[in-house]
Amino acid sequence: IVKGVPRPNEGRISTHLVKEATEDGDRMRIARHGEPDADHAVTHYRVAEKFRLHTRLRLRLESGRTHQIRVHMAHIGHPLVGDPLYGGRSRLLKGTDPDTQDKLRLFPRQALHAARLMLEHPITGEDMSWEAPVPQDMLGLYDLLRDDLASHGN
């Protein structure tokens, strides 16, 4: 779940990422052109569900860089709900009612879930995949945002 509504409804983000140290741990950033230690990263996104002030996205990665999704979403101006590192200040979007604001602030983690992971085993070359159902806290967040949408006449 990201803040705001990305335009267009689907797209491809292609950047180079650089890891840099921060006081509270490692942080990724978009590389400036020509930085020698930059890793190329590509993320495809598609809107799965629009809420009033937030969006549920489906993402597909061509690469698997540390924090890639979080950095790419922040890069296009739509950081993940609950992301203290790349989401900027904990300020919420204007127009969010107080009850919804409180519940969004209390969401205990990044609003990110990998429903399916697929990779090639690095030693055997075997294609591997795993699936996991959406956890209850994420389902509750969906319901919260649907209720917010419905309460504002949409």
Side-chain angles (χ1 to χ4, degrees):
I1 302 286
V2 297
K3 295 178 183 179
V5 180
R7 302 272 189 242
N9 286 337
E10 59 184 64
R12 178 179 186 266
I13 306 163
S14 177
T15 64
H16 287 82
L17 302 179
V18 175
K19 190 177 285 189
E20 63 184 9
T22 61
E23 291 179 18
D24 54 355
D26 287 342
R27 182 181 180 118
M28 298 296 289
R29 67 173 168 81
I30 302 299
R32 292 187 197 99
H33 182 71
E35 289 195 49
D37 295 333
D39 291 322
H40 189 244
V42 177
T43 302
H44 298 266
Y45 72 88
R46 181 172 48 88
V47 170
E49 185 174 6
K50 290 181 186 177
F51 304 107
R52 197 168 62 85
L53 301 170
H54 299 81
T55 306
R56 182 168 61 92
L57 298 176
R58 289 196 169 276
L59 305 168
R60 184 177 57 82
L61 283 62
E62 287 184 25
S63 49
R65 307 291 181 218
T66 303
H67 297 196
Q68 176 176 328
I69 293 169
R70 297 167 64 193
V71 172
H72 275 174
M73 293 301 99
H75 176 65
I76 65 168
H78 299 285
L80 295 173
V81 167
D83 188 346
L85 190 56
Y86 301 106
R89 292 177 285 157
S90 62
R91 166 179 58 101
L92 294 169
L93 298 173
K94 285 185 178 182
T96 307
D97 67 74
D99 184 50
T100 301
Q101 285 182 16
D102 289 344
K103 289 177 181 173
L104 285 167
R105 272 197 193 98
L106 293 173
F107 194 74
R109 62 185 181 89
Q110 296 107 26
L112 180 63
H113 171 67
R116 183 180 333 150
L117 292 174
M118 299 184 310
L119 58 91
E120 181 180 300
H121 192 282
I123 297 172
T124 66
E126 176 186 4
D127 288 336
M128 304 182 76
S129 66
W130 299 268
E131 292 190 22
V134 178
Q136 287 300 311
D137 64 345
M138 289 288 291
L139 294 174
L141 185 57
Y142 298 169
D143 289 342
L144 172 70
L145 296 172
R146 287 176 187 133
D147 290 348
D148 176 66
L149 180 64
S151 72
H152 286 84
N154 295 323

